[in-house]
Amino acid sequence: MEALRIIHNEHHNLWALASTIEQVVDEIEAGSPVDRSFFDSVFDYIDQFVDQSHHRKEDQFLFRLLRLRAPEAAASLDRLQAEHAAEPTTVHTLREQLNAVMNGDASQEDFVSAMRHF
């Protein structure tokens, strides 16, 4: 049960982060400037915790056990694992887009669009 509590708490925290990102993106869309330090922190958190710890626990333990217990969930688990595998590349691309906005090489609207897709 401890493992379920941990996964539940981590997902709750990830939901809170996603909600915060959405609020900040709304503010940018309304005309606020992009806050580089905020997004650098978000991307660092995703790289260091979500990808290195959270997703690994899901991929190595939870999904393995779910596959054994519920083979009919394989397609959904495959999709989630593919998303997990792609996320470092996605975050790298978002960092590049952030840099482009900060350097004046891209618009805030492009960054907002990328963040909404993420």
Side-chain angles (χ1 to χ4, degrees), residues 2 29-30 38 43 46 50-51 57 88 103 107 111 115:
E2 180 67 9
E29 212 167 35
F38 171 78
F43 298 149
I46 293 169
V50 177
D51 290 336
K57 286 185 272 188
N103 293 333
S107 70
F111 184 68
M115 289 304 301

Side-chain angles (χ1 to χ4, degrees), residues 3-62:
L4 290 176
R5 185 191 61 76
I6 290 168
I7 294 290
H8 172 78
N9 288 344
E10 288 177 4
H11 281 165
H12 176 77
N13 292 339
L14 292 171
W15 177 84
L17 176 63
S19 294
T20 301
I21 292 168
E22 187 173 4
Q23 290 174 355
V24 171
V25 168
D26 287 344
E27 292 171 7
I28 294 168
E29 212 167 35
S32 294
V34 174
D35 182 345
R36 176 184 204 103
S37 63
F38 171 78
F39 285 103
D40 281 339
S41 295
V42 166
F43 298 149
D44 288 347
Y45 177 78
I46 293 169
D47 282 341
Q48 294 168 15
F49 174 72
V50 177
D51 290 336
Q52 298 302 314
S53 178
H54 177 75
H55 286 165
R56 285 187 182 183
K57 286 185 272 188
E58 287 183 332
D59 293 343
Q60 293 174 1
F61 303 107
L62 179 63

Side-chain angles (χ1 to χ4, degrees), residues 78-97:
D78 290 346
R79 181 185 50 78
L80 288 169
Q81 285 188 292
E83 288 176 10
H84 290 179
E87 191 163 281
T89 301
T90 301
V91 171
H92 177 77
T93 300
L94 290 170
R95 284 184 191 272
E96 288 178 339
Q97 290 174 320

Side-chain angles (χ1 to χ4, degrees), residues 34 36 96-108 110:
V34 174
R36 176 184 204 103
E96 288 178 339
Q97 290 174 320
L98 174 62
N99 287 333
V101 169
M102 301 314 295
N103 293 333
D105 298 328
S107 70
Q108 287 192 171
D110 293 337

